[in-house]
Short mmCIF file of all heavy atoms in Angstrom, two decimals:
data_model
loop_
_atom_site.label_atom_id
_atom_site.label_comp_id
_atom_site.label_asym_id
_atom_site.label_seq_id
_atom_site.Cartn_x
_atom_site.Cartn_y
_atom_site.Cartn_z
N LEU N 136 68.81 46.65 93.82
CA LEU N 136 70.18 46.14 93.68
C LEU N 136 70.27 44.66 94.01
O LEU N 136 70.97 43.90 93.32
CB LEU N 136 71.13 46.96 94.55
CG LEU N 136 71.35 48.41 94.09
CD1 LEU N 136 72.06 49.22 95.17
CD2 LEU N 136 72.14 48.46 92.79
N CYS N 137 69.57 44.22 95.06
CA CYS N 137 69.60 42.80 95.42
C CYS N 137 69.00 41.97 94.28
O CYS N 137 69.53 40.92 93.91
CB CYS N 137 68.84 42.56 96.72
SG CYS N 137 69.68 43.17 98.19
N ARG N 138 67.91 42.47 93.72
CA ARG N 138 67.26 41.78 92.59
C ARG N 138 68.19 41.72 91.37
O ARG N 138 68.17 40.79 90.59
CB ARG N 138 65.97 42.52 92.22
CG ARG N 138 64.76 41.62 92.09
CD ARG N 138 63.52 42.41 91.68
NE ARG N 138 63.11 43.37 92.67
CZ ARG N 138 62.76 44.65 92.41
NH1 ARG N 138 62.79 45.11 91.18
NH2 ARG N 138 62.37 45.43 93.39
N ASP N 139 69.03 42.74 91.25
CA ASP N 139 69.94 42.85 90.11
C ASP N 139 71.25 42.06 90.34
O ASP N 139 72.18 42.15 89.56
CB ASP N 139 70.26 44.34 89.88
CG ASP N 139 70.80 44.61 88.48
OD1 ASP N 139 70.74 43.70 87.64
OD2 ASP N 139 71.30 45.72 88.25
N GLY N 140 71.30 41.33 91.45
CA GLY N 140 72.46 40.46 91.68
C GLY N 140 73.60 41.08 92.47
O GLY N 140 74.64 40.46 92.64
N PHE N 141 73.42 42.32 92.93
CA PHE N 141 74.48 42.94 93.73
C PHE N 141 74.51 42.33 95.13
O PHE N 141 73.49 41.89 95.65
CB PHE N 141 74.24 44.45 93.85
CG PHE N 141 74.61 45.22 92.62
CD1 PHE N 141 73.65 45.53 91.67
CD2 PHE N 141 75.92 45.62 92.41
CE1 PHE N 141 73.99 46.23 90.53
CE2 PHE N 141 76.26 46.34 91.29
CZ PHE N 141 75.30 46.65 90.33
N LYS N 142 75.71 42.34 95.70
CA LYS N 142 75.86 42.00 97.11
C LYS N 142 75.93 43.33 97.86
O LYS N 142 76.92 44.04 97.76
CB LYS N 142 77.11 41.16 97.32
CG LYS N 142 77.05 39.85 96.55
CD LYS N 142 78.27 39.00 96.80
CE LYS N 142 78.17 37.68 96.04
NZ LYS N 142 78.57 37.85 94.62
N VAL N 143 74.86 43.63 98.55
CA VAL N 143 74.69 44.98 99.07
C VAL N 143 75.05 45.06 100.56
O VAL N 143 74.46 44.37 101.39
CB VAL N 143 73.23 45.46 98.87
CG1 VAL N 143 73.05 46.88 99.40
CG2 VAL N 143 72.84 45.38 97.40
N MET N 144 76.04 45.90 100.85
CA MET N 144 76.34 46.27 102.23
C MET N 144 75.70 47.65 102.42
O MET N 144 76.05 48.59 101.72
CB MET N 144 77.85 46.33 102.46
CG MET N 144 78.52 44.98 102.17
SD MET N 144 80.31 45.03 102.27
CE MET N 144 80.55 45.32 104.02
N VAL N 145 74.76 47.73 103.33
CA VAL N 145 73.90 48.91 103.33
C VAL N 145 74.12 49.80 104.56
O VAL N 145 74.07 49.33 105.70
CB VAL N 145 72.42 48.50 103.18
CG1 VAL N 145 71.95 47.58 104.30
CG2 VAL N 145 71.51 49.72 103.05
N TYR N 146 74.35 51.06 104.28
CA TYR N 146 74.48 52.08 105.32
C TYR N 146 73.09 52.52 105.74
O TYR N 146 72.26 52.83 104.89
CB TYR N 146 75.27 53.26 104.76
CG TYR N 146 75.32 54.48 105.67
CD1 TYR N 146 75.93 54.41 106.91
CD2 TYR N 146 74.76 55.69 105.28
CE1 TYR N 146 75.98 55.52 107.74
CE2 TYR N 146 74.80 56.80 106.10
CZ TYR N 146 75.41 56.71 107.33
OH TYR N 146 75.45 57.80 108.15
N THR N 147 72.83 52.53 107.05
CA THR N 147 71.49 52.87 107.51
C THR N 147 71.54 53.53 108.88
O THR N 147 72.61 53.73 109.44
CB THR N 147 70.59 51.60 107.50
OG1 THR N 147 69.26 51.95 107.90
CG2 THR N 147 71.13 50.55 108.47
N THR N 148 70.36 53.87 109.39
CA THR N 148 70.28 54.42 110.74
C THR N 148 70.41 53.26 111.74
O THR N 148 70.46 52.09 111.35
CB THR N 148 68.93 55.12 110.96
OG1 THR N 148 67.90 54.17 110.75
CG2 THR N 148 68.76 56.29 110.01
N ASP N 149 70.40 53.59 113.01
CA ASP N 149 70.49 52.53 114.02
C ASP N 149 69.11 52.04 114.46
O ASP N 149 68.92 51.64 115.60
CB ASP N 149 71.33 52.99 115.22
CG ASP N 149 70.80 54.27 115.86
OD1 ASP N 149 69.66 54.67 115.53
OD2 ASP N 149 71.50 54.85 116.70
N ASP N 150 68.16 52.04 113.53
CA ASP N 150 66.82 51.54 113.80
C ASP N 150 66.80 50.01 113.64
O ASP N 150 67.01 49.49 112.54
CB ASP N 150 65.84 52.18 112.80
CG ASP N 150 64.41 51.69 113.00
OD1 ASP N 150 64.21 50.58 113.51
OD2 ASP N 150 63.48 52.44 112.62
N PRO N 151 66.53 49.28 114.73
CA PRO N 151 66.59 47.81 114.66
C PRO N 151 65.58 47.19 113.69
O PRO N 151 65.90 46.20 113.02
CB PRO N 151 66.28 47.38 116.10
CG PRO N 151 66.66 48.55 116.94
CD PRO N 151 66.33 49.75 116.10
N LEU N 152 64.40 47.76 113.59
CA LEU N 152 63.39 47.16 112.71
C LEU N 152 63.77 47.34 111.24
O LEU N 152 63.61 46.44 110.42
CB LEU N 152 62.01 47.78 112.97
CG LEU N 152 61.44 47.52 114.37
CD1 LEU N 152 60.06 48.15 114.50
CD2 LEU N 152 61.39 46.04 114.67
N LEU N 153 64.27 48.51 110.92
CA LEU N 153 64.70 48.75 109.55
C LEU N 153 65.91 47.87 109.20
O LEU N 153 65.99 47.32 108.10
CB LEU N 153 65.06 50.23 109.36
CG LEU N 153 65.42 50.55 107.92
CD1 LEU N 153 64.17 50.58 107.05
CD2 LEU N 153 66.16 51.85 107.83
N ALA N 154 66.81 47.73 110.15
CA ALA N 154 67.98 46.87 109.93
C ALA N 154 67.55 45.46 109.58
O ALA N 154 68.08 44.82 108.67
CB ALA N 154 68.87 46.88 111.17
N LYS N 155 66.55 44.97 110.32
CA LYS N 155 66.03 43.62 110.08
C LYS N 155 65.41 43.53 108.68
O LYS N 155 65.62 42.55 107.96
CB LYS N 155 64.98 43.28 111.15
CG LYS N 155 64.47 41.86 111.10
CD LYS N 155 65.57 40.87 111.48
CE LYS N 155 65.14 39.43 111.23
NZ LYS N 155 66.30 38.52 111.26
N ARG N 156 64.68 44.56 108.32
CA ARG N 156 64.04 44.58 106.99
C ARG N 156 65.09 44.53 105.88
O ARG N 156 64.93 43.84 104.88
CB ARG N 156 63.18 45.85 106.88
CG ARG N 156 62.43 45.99 105.60
CD ARG N 156 61.15 45.15 105.60
NE ARG N 156 60.62 45.09 104.24
CZ ARG N 156 60.60 43.98 103.50
NH1 ARG N 156 61.02 42.83 103.98
NH2 ARG N 156 60.12 44.00 102.28
N LEU N 157 66.18 45.26 106.07
CA LEU N 157 67.25 45.28 105.07
C LEU N 157 67.90 43.90 104.94
O LEU N 157 68.28 43.47 103.86
CB LEU N 157 68.29 46.36 105.42
CG LEU N 157 67.79 47.79 105.21
CD1 LEU N 157 68.68 48.79 105.95
CD2 LEU N 157 67.71 48.14 103.73
N GLU N 158 68.00 43.21 106.06
CA GLU N 158 68.52 41.84 106.01
C GLU N 158 67.55 40.95 105.24
O GLU N 158 67.96 40.15 104.39
CB GLU N 158 68.71 41.29 107.42
CG GLU N 158 69.18 39.84 107.44
CD GLU N 158 69.27 39.27 108.85
OE1 GLU N 158 68.20 39.07 109.48
OE2 GLU N 158 70.37 39.05 109.32
N GLU N 159 66.26 41.11 105.53
CA GLU N 159 65.25 40.25 104.91
C GLU N 159 65.22 40.40 103.38
O GLU N 159 64.95 39.44 102.67
CB GLU N 159 63.87 40.57 105.49
CG GLU N 159 63.66 40.01 106.88
CD GLU N 159 62.44 40.59 107.59
OE1 GLU N 159 61.74 41.45 107.00
OE2 GLU N 159 62.20 40.18 108.73
N ILE N 160 65.48 41.60 102.89
CA ILE N 160 65.42 41.76 101.43
C ILE N 160 66.72 41.31 100.76
O ILE N 160 66.81 41.34 99.55
CB ILE N 160 65.08 43.20 101.01
CG1 ILE N 160 66.18 44.17 101.42
CG2 ILE N 160 63.74 43.62 101.56
CD1 ILE N 160 65.96 45.55 100.85
N GLY N 161 67.71 40.89 101.55
CA GLY N 161 68.87 40.24 100.96
C GLY N 161 70.21 40.96 101.08
O GLY N 161 71.19 40.54 100.46
N CYS N 162 70.26 42.02 101.84
CA CYS N 162 71.55 42.71 102.02
C CYS N 162 72.53 41.77 102.73
O CYS N 162 72.15 41.03 103.64
CB CYS N 162 71.38 43.99 102.84
SG CYS N 162 70.40 45.23 101.96
N VAL N 163 73.79 41.80 102.32
CA VAL N 163 74.78 40.86 102.86
C VAL N 163 75.44 41.39 104.13
O VAL N 163 76.11 40.64 104.84
CB VAL N 163 75.86 40.50 101.82
CG1 VAL N 163 75.23 39.81 100.61
CG2 VAL N 163 76.67 41.72 101.39
N ALA N 164 75.29 42.67 104.41
CA ALA N 164 75.76 43.26 105.66
C ALA N 164 74.91 44.50 105.91
O ALA N 164 74.54 45.20 104.97
CB ALA N 164 77.23 43.62 105.59
N VAL N 165 74.61 44.74 107.18
CA VAL N 165 73.85 45.94 107.53
C VAL N 165 74.76 46.83 108.37
O VAL N 165 75.42 46.37 109.30
CB VAL N 165 72.57 45.57 108.29
CG1 VAL N 165 71.84 46.82 108.76
CG2 VAL N 165 71.65 44.73 107.39
N MET N 166 74.83 48.11 107.98
CA MET N 166 75.84 49.00 108.55
C MET N 166 75.20 50.24 109.17
O MET N 166 75.11 51.30 108.53
CB MET N 166 76.85 49.36 107.48
CG MET N 166 77.42 48.13 106.76
SD MET N 166 78.98 48.38 105.96
CE MET N 166 78.48 49.44 104.60
N PRO N 167 74.78 50.12 110.43
CA PRO N 167 74.19 51.29 111.09
C PRO N 167 75.26 52.31 111.47
O PRO N 167 76.41 51.95 111.74
CB PRO N 167 73.56 50.68 112.34
CG PRO N 167 74.34 49.45 112.62
CD PRO N 167 74.79 48.92 111.29
N LEU N 168 74.87 53.56 111.48
CA LEU N 168 75.81 54.61 111.87
C LEU N 168 75.99 54.63 113.38
O LEU N 168 75.08 54.29 114.14
CB LEU N 168 75.31 55.97 111.38
CG LEU N 168 73.88 56.41 111.66
CD1 LEU N 168 73.70 56.88 113.10
CD2 LEU N 168 73.49 57.54 110.72
N ALA N 169 77.18 55.02 113.82
CA ALA N 169 77.42 55.29 115.24
C ALA N 169 76.97 56.71 115.55
O ALA N 169 76.41 57.01 116.59
CB ALA N 169 78.91 55.12 115.55
N ALA N 170 77.24 57.60 114.58
CA ALA N 170 76.93 59.03 114.66
C ALA N 170 77.04 59.53 113.21
O ALA N 170 77.47 58.78 112.33
CB ALA N 170 77.92 59.73 115.57
N PRO N 171 76.67 60.79 112.94
CA PRO N 171 76.74 61.25 111.55
C PRO N 171 78.14 61.10 110.92
O PRO N 171 79.16 61.16 111.62
CB PRO N 171 76.36 62.73 111.66
CG PRO N 171 75.43 62.76 112.82
CD PRO N 171 75.99 61.78 113.81
N ILE N 172 78.15 60.88 109.61
CA ILE N 172 79.38 60.71 108.84
C ILE N 172 80.35 61.86 109.12
O ILE N 172 79.96 63.02 109.06
CB ILE N 172 79.05 60.68 107.32
CG1 ILE N 172 78.23 59.43 106.98
CG2 ILE N 172 80.33 60.73 106.48
CD1 ILE N 172 77.65 59.43 105.56
N GLY N 173 81.58 61.52 109.43
CA GLY N 173 82.61 62.54 109.61
C GLY N 173 82.50 63.33 110.91
O GLY N 173 83.27 64.26 111.14
N SER N 174 81.56 62.95 111.80
CA SER N 174 81.36 63.74 113.02
C SER N 174 82.33 63.35 114.12
O SER N 174 82.65 64.16 115.00
CB SER N 174 79.92 63.59 113.53
OG SER N 174 79.70 62.27 114.02
N GLY N 175 82.77 62.11 114.13
CA GLY N 175 83.69 61.65 115.17
C GLY N 175 83.08 61.65 116.56
O GLY N 175 83.80 61.70 117.56
N LEU N 176 81.76 61.57 116.65
CA LEU N 176 81.09 61.65 117.95
C LEU N 176 81.03 60.32 118.70
O LEU N 176 80.63 60.29 119.86
CB LEU N 176 79.66 62.19 117.76
CG LEU N 176 79.56 63.66 117.33
CD1 LEU N 176 78.12 64.01 116.97
CD2 LEU N 176 80.06 64.56 118.45
N GLY N 177 81.38 59.24 118.04
CA GLY N 177 81.32 57.93 118.70
C GLY N 177 79.90 57.38 118.73
O GLY N 177 78.97 57.99 118.20
N ILE N 178 79.75 56.22 119.35
CA ILE N 178 78.45 55.53 119.32
C ILE N 178 77.45 56.26 120.21
O ILE N 178 77.62 56.36 121.41
CB ILE N 178 78.61 54.07 119.75
CG1 ILE N 178 79.50 53.34 118.74
CG2 ILE N 178 77.25 53.38 119.84
CD1 ILE N 178 79.73 51.90 119.03
N GLN N 179 76.42 56.77 119.57
CA GLN N 179 75.44 57.58 120.28
C GLN N 179 74.32 56.76 120.91
O GLN N 179 73.66 57.21 121.81
CB GLN N 179 74.83 58.63 119.32
CG GLN N 179 75.84 59.66 118.88
CD GLN N 179 76.40 60.44 120.07
OE1 GLN N 179 75.68 61.16 120.75
NE2 GLN N 179 77.69 60.27 120.33
N ASN N 180 74.10 55.55 120.39
CA ASN N 180 73.03 54.72 120.95
C ASN N 180 73.47 53.26 121.01
O ASN N 180 73.23 52.48 120.11
CB ASN N 180 71.75 54.87 120.13
CG ASN N 180 70.54 54.32 120.86
OD1 ASN N 180 70.67 53.48 121.76
ND2 ASN N 180 69.36 54.80 120.50
N ARG N 181 74.13 52.94 122.10
CA ARG N 181 74.65 51.58 122.25
C ARG N 181 73.52 50.57 122.30
O ARG N 181 73.66 49.44 121.84
CB ARG N 181 75.46 51.47 123.55
CG ARG N 181 76.70 52.33 123.54
CD ARG N 181 77.52 52.09 124.79
NE ARG N 181 78.50 53.14 124.95
CZ ARG N 181 79.47 53.12 125.83
NH1 ARG N 181 79.60 52.09 126.65
NH2 ARG N 181 80.33 54.10 125.91
N TYR N 182 72.41 50.98 122.90
CA TYR N 182 71.28 50.07 123.02
C TYR N 182 70.80 49.62 121.64
O TYR N 182 70.57 48.42 121.41
CB TYR N 182 70.13 50.76 123.78
CG TYR N 182 68.87 49.96 123.76
CD1 TYR N 182 68.67 48.91 124.65
CD2 TYR N 182 67.88 50.22 122.81
CE1 TYR N 182 67.52 48.15 124.61
CE2 TYR N 182 66.73 49.47 122.76
CZ TYR N 182 66.55 48.44 123.66
OH TYR N 182 65.41 47.68 123.60
N SER N 183 70.65 50.58 120.72
CA SER N 183 70.17 50.23 119.38
C SER N 183 71.15 49.33 118.64
O SER N 183 70.76 48.36 117.99
CB SER N 183 69.97 51.49 118.54
OG SER N 183 68.98 52.28 119.10
N ILE N 184 72.43 49.67 118.73
CA ILE N 184 73.44 48.86 118.04
C ILE N 184 73.41 47.44 118.59
O ILE N 184 73.43 46.45 117.85
CB ILE N 184 74.85 49.48 118.21
CG1 ILE N 184 74.91 50.90 117.61
CG2 ILE N 184 75.92 48.57 117.62
CD1 ILE N 184 74.79 50.98 116.11
N ARG N 185 73.33 47.33 119.90
CA ARG N 185 73.28 46.03 120.56
C ARG N 185 72.06 45.24 120.09
O ARG N 185 72.13 44.04 119.80
CB ARG N 185 73.24 46.25 122.08
CG ARG N 185 73.30 44.99 122.90
CD ARG N 185 74.67 44.40 122.75
NE ARG N 185 74.67 43.01 123.14
CZ ARG N 185 75.44 42.52 124.10
NH1 ARG N 185 76.29 43.30 124.73
NH2 ARG N 185 75.39 41.25 124.41
N GLU N 186 70.95 45.92 120.03
CA GLU N 186 69.70 45.28 119.61
C GLU N 186 69.81 44.76 118.17
O GLU N 186 69.37 43.66 117.86
CB GLU N 186 68.55 46.30 119.73
CG GLU N 186 67.19 45.79 119.33
CD GLU N 186 66.68 44.68 120.25
OE1 GLU N 186 67.16 44.56 121.39
OE2 GLU N 186 65.79 43.92 119.79
N ILE N 187 70.42 45.57 117.31
CA ILE N 187 70.59 45.15 115.91
C ILE N 187 71.50 43.93 115.84
O ILE N 187 71.21 42.95 115.14
CB ILE N 187 71.15 46.32 115.06
CG1 ILE N 187 70.12 47.45 114.97
CG2 ILE N 187 71.53 45.84 113.66
CD1 ILE N 187 70.65 48.73 114.37
N VAL N 188 72.60 43.97 116.59
CA VAL N 188 73.54 42.83 116.60
C VAL N 188 72.83 41.56 117.04
O VAL N 188 73.03 40.49 116.46
CB VAL N 188 74.73 43.14 117.54
CG1 VAL N 188 75.53 41.87 117.83
CG2 VAL N 188 75.62 44.21 116.93
N GLU N 189 71.99 41.67 118.05
CA GLU N 189 71.32 40.48 118.58
C GLU N 189 70.23 39.96 117.66
O GLU N 189 69.88 38.78 117.72
CB GLU N 189 70.72 40.80 119.96
CG GLU N 189 71.81 40.90 121.02
CD GLU N 189 71.26 41.15 122.42
OE1 GLU N 189 70.03 41.26 122.56
OE2 GLU N 189 72.08 41.25 123.34
N THR N 190 69.68 40.81 116.83
CA THR N 190 68.54 40.43 116.00
C THR N 190 68.94 39.87 114.64
O THR N 190 68.26 39.00 114.10
CB THR N 190 67.61 41.65 115.77
OG1 THR N 190 67.35 42.25 117.04
CG2 THR N 190 66.31 41.26 115.12
N LEU N 191 70.03 40.40 114.07
CA LEU N 191 70.39 40.04 112.69
C LEU N 191 71.33 38.83 112.62
O LEU N 191 72.08 38.58 113.55
CB LEU N 191 71.04 41.25 111.99
CG LEU N 191 70.07 42.18 111.24
CD1 LEU N 191 69.01 42.73 112.16
CD2 LEU N 191 70.84 43.31 110.58
N LYS N 192 71.26 38.15 111.49
CA LYS N 192 72.18 37.05 111.24
C LYS N 192 73.36 37.50 110.38
O LYS N 192 74.47 36.98 110.50
CB LYS N 192 71.45 35.90 110.54
CG LYS N 192 70.38 35.25 111.40
CD LYS N 192 69.70 34.09 110.66
CE LYS N 192 68.41 33.67 111.36
NZ LYS N 192 67.31 34.66 111.23
N VAL N 193 73.13 38.45 109.48
CA VAL N 193 74.23 38.94 108.62
C VAL N 193 75.14 39.83 109.47
O VAL N 193 74.74 40.31 110.52
CB VAL N 193 73.71 39.74 107.40
CG1 VAL N 193 72.88 38.86 106.49
CG2 VAL N 193 72.96 40.98 107.83
N PRO N 194 76.38 40.04 109.01
CA PRO N 194 77.28 40.90 109.77
C PRO N 194 76.70 42.31 109.96
O PRO N 194 76.17 42.90 109.03
CB PRO N 194 78.54 40.95 108.90
CG PRO N 194 78.50 39.70 108.09
CD PRO N 194 77.04 39.44 107.84
N VAL N 195 76.83 42.79 111.20
CA VAL N 195 76.45 44.17 111.52
C VAL N 195 77.74 44.95 111.69
O VAL N 195 78.60 44.59 112.49
CB VAL N 195 75.60 44.23 112.80
CG1 VAL N 195 75.33 45.68 113.20
CG2 VAL N 195 74.29 43.47 112.61
N ILE N 196 77.88 45.97 110.89
CA ILE N 196 79.12 46.74 110.85
C ILE N 196 78.82 48.19 111.18
O ILE N 196 78.00 48.82 110.48
CB ILE N 196 79.77 46.63 109.44
CG1 ILE N 196 80.09 45.17 109.12
CG2 ILE N 196 81.01 47.52 109.34
CD1 ILE N 196 80.57 44.92 107.70
N VAL N 197 79.43 48.70 112.23
CA VAL N 197 79.23 50.12 112.53
C VAL N 197 79.97 50.94 111.48
O VAL N 197 81.15 50.72 111.22
CB VAL N 197 79.70 50.48 113.95
CG1 VAL N 197 80.02 51.95 114.06
CG2 VAL N 197 78.61 50.14 114.96
#
Side-chain angles (χ1 to χ4, degrees):
Chain N
L136 291 168
C137 288
R138 229 182 295 135
D139 199 11
F141 283 95
K142 299 182 179 81
V143 181
M144 300 175 68
V145 60
Y146 172 64
T147 183
T148 59
D149 57 11
D150 179 335
L152 296 182
L153 184 74
K155 186 68 189 165
R156 182 80 193 111
L157 288 163
E158 177 184 69
E159 284 166 0
I160 65 172
C162 294
V163 298
V165 175
M166 308 202 290
L168 50 77
I172 294 170
S174 69
L176 291 171
I178 296 181
Q179 293 299 295
N180 194 337
R181 296 185 195 189
Y182 171 82
S183 296
I184 299 292
R185 185 69 198 238
E186 180 65 21
I187 294 170
V188 166
E189 287 183 359
T190 310
L191 269 58
K192 295 181 194 71
V193 297
V195 174
I196 299 173
V197 157

